[in-house]
Amino acid sequence: MRSPREFYRPLALGAPLPLDNIPVRPSRMIHFFDPSNAKMRDKVPAIAAQVDILLGNLEDAVAIDNKEAAREGFIDVARSNDFGDTQLWTRVNSLDSPWFLDDMLRIVGEVGERVDVIMLPKVQGDWDIFYADQLLAQLEAKAGLERPILLHCILETALGVANVDAIAQASPRIQGMSLGPADLAASRRMKTTRIGGGHPGYLVRNDPDEHNPEGPRATYQQDLWHYTMARMVDACVSVGALPFYGPFGAIDDPVGCEDQFRNAFLMGCVGAWSLHPSQISIAQRVFSPPVEEVLWARRVLEALPDGSGAIMVDGKMQDDASWKQCKVMVDLARLIAEQDADRKRAYGF
Ligand code: GLV
Ligand code: MG
């Protein structure tokens, strides 16, 4: 086991110091684009202005023949745009692929100072993080970077889920994780062909009515992702990292998308992926705290100024714990309000 004293020392001579806190910035959506596509590259300035995180995708959904063009396209986009407050991420190919090493060498070497986070797909265990962590430190040192590039893992294999705590604890470089329901379904041999969301077959059914045993019985669709999401949220938050829901593939079902995103928000996720421009506003709406919740939370904080003791507000008991819940809501609202004048006004800041 590594000495705790080593944890915040760079893994290569000359690499930047690891961060002891993950920067908390609005991260409501990670918007994916394919950098091999010239039309998408042209749209980057307009899209970057609308999203919290812009991610150049080099992995799945980029055809094999376009892998190198995607890498070149990403380097070009990173070099030739000013991203302002928007974070720039990339999803590299998986560690066992023929492209991973060049993705890392080229991107860190050529535009490392512009990239906030590298998303690692198909992470299986802490050994994957140890490797990527050390490699990144070597490349950062070589490129003379002053700020460490963080790592974001996709939780999308059965083994990865089994090892989720060890992955989260493997390095101070872990920025967060995303639930990847498509690869995870395949890895687990789940019998769904959808990318995220529910399934009408995954349900519970009322008992038969004893007076009418053949009569209709109500059914309730259940959430296929609940267990994994909960494990991911606990693994991330226990190390100060940020959990995200991943892709929702049914672009033609904005209502289903909103429900999936809201489940993630309520369970503690900070954002989700947007795969299509129409999902940006859904994520923006869902992952910004609701105005009425913020106004309520502000009343509780004002009524219990030092956060101790117990009082009633509109017939509801408030104490130290509910004060902390309200503080989570108000802190997030303040963060969003810094970049969103309309919400700032609505929240009353
Ligand atoms: C995302 O990469 C997924 O597989 O769902
Ligand atoms: Mg995947």
Side-chain angles (χ1 to χ4, degrees):
M1 203 174 149
R2 237 172 120 197
S3 154
R5 289 198 181 83
E6 296 297 316
F7 218 62
Y8 288 101
R9 291 197 184 134
L11 289 176
L13 272 180
L17 281 179
L19 300 183
D20 56 3
N21 272 310
I22 299 304
V24 178
R25 297 164 66 181
S27 301
R28 293 165 293 182
M29 76 297 292
I30 306 172
H31 186 73
F32 273 55
F33 78 100
D34 174 353
S36 72
N37 181 322
K39 274 199 202 131
M40 289 205 188
R41 288 201 302 274
D42 290 346
K43 288 190 189 149
V44 158
I47 293 275
Q50 297 170 44
V51 301
D52 295 338
I53 300 166
L54 183 69
L55 178 145
N57 177 31
L58 312 185
E59 200 227 9
D60 293 357
V62 174
I64 288 179
D65 288 348
N66 290 341
K67 290 287 185 190
E68 281 170 20
R71 187 190 297 140
E72 301 307 323
F74 178 76
I75 291 170
D76 178 43
V77 160
R79 245 195 216 123
S80 50
N81 287 280
D82 175 5
F83 295 93
D85 287 332
T86 302
Q87 302 176 49
L88 179 66
W89 295 20
T90 181
R91 175 168 81 166
V92 294
N93 288 284
S94 59
L95 275 81
D96 58 355
S97 74
W99 306 287
F100 170 78
L101 189 58
D102 285 333
D103 290 346
M104 298 291 279
L105 293 174
R106 297 282 316 283
I107 288 171
V108 180
E110 294 181 37
V111 287
E113 72 287 353
R114 305 187 70 99
V115 175
D116 293 290
V117 174
I118 291 180
M119 183 183 273
L120 280 184
K122 302 183 177 74
V123 171
Q124 305 271 22
D126 56 5
W127 57 90
D128 286 341
I129 305 304
F130 298 153
Y131 168 65
D133 197 7
Q134 184 99 50
L135 175 67
L136 258 176
Q138 292 172 332
L139 297 176
E140 286 168 345
K142 190 165 175 221
L145 300 191
E146 288 172 4
R147 159 185 72 73
I149 297 176
L150 301 180
L151 284 173
H152 180 101
C153 308
I154 313 183
L155 194 59
E156 55 179 351
T157 66
L159 187 57
V161 177
N163 289 322
V164 65
D165 296 315
I167 294 169
Q169 291 160 14
S171 162
R173 217 189 267 280
I174 298 292
Q175 179 271 351
M177 284 185 205
S178 289
L179 170 62
D183 271 301
L184 184 56
S187 162
R188 282 178 174 160
R189 299 196 200 106
M190 290 166 70
K191 306 304 180 295
T192 164
T193 52
R194 302 171 173 209
I195 299 186
H199 192 290
Y202 193 69
L203 52 78
V204 291
R205 189 183 299 270
N206 275 358
D207 286 353
D209 180 343
E210 61 182 287
H211 305 297
N212 180 17
E214 301 305 322
R217 293 160 59 184
T219 60
Y220 308 90
Q221 196 171 318
Q222 305 291 295
D223 180 1
L224 276 172
W225 308 109
H226 178 81
Y227 158 80
T228 315
M229 187 106 77
R231 288 207 57 192
M232 180 185 73
V233 169
D234 286 343
C236 284
V237 178
S238 62
V239 298
L242 306 175
F244 291 70
Y245 175 75
F248 187 87
I251 309 297
D252 60 357
D253 181 9
V255 175
C257 178
E258 178 155 348
D259 291 340
Q260 177 73 74
F261 285 7
R262 186 162 292 105
N263 287 351
F265 174 70
L266 289 169
M267 280 194 75
C269 290
V270 299
W273 299 6
S274 52
L275 301 181
H276 184 272
S278 64
Q279 294 182 335
I280 296 173
S281 59
I282 301 177
Q284 219 163 38
R285 182 163 65 246
V286 172
F287 290 99
S288 304
V291 171
E292 60 284 8
E293 290 273 20
V294 175
L295 298 181
W296 164 256
R298 292 189 63 193
R299 278 185 63 202
V300 174
L301 297 190
E302 278 157 24
L304 204 63
D306 67 356
S308 75
I311 51 160
M312 297 293 271
V313 180
D314 289 356
K316 296 183 176 52
M317 199 273 293
Q318 306 299 329
D319 66 358
D320 307 47
S322 64
W323 185 92
K324 287 181 201 148
Q325 288 175 276
C326 291
K327 186 142 173 18
V328 167
M329 198 67 82
V330 173
D331 286 351
L332 177 60
R334 278 193 199 285
L335 187 73
I336 304 287
E338 279 170 26
Q339 286 181 20
D340 185 331
D342 290 342
R343 285 200 169 80
K344 182 172 179 191
R345 216 169 302 113
Y347 293 147
F349 294 138

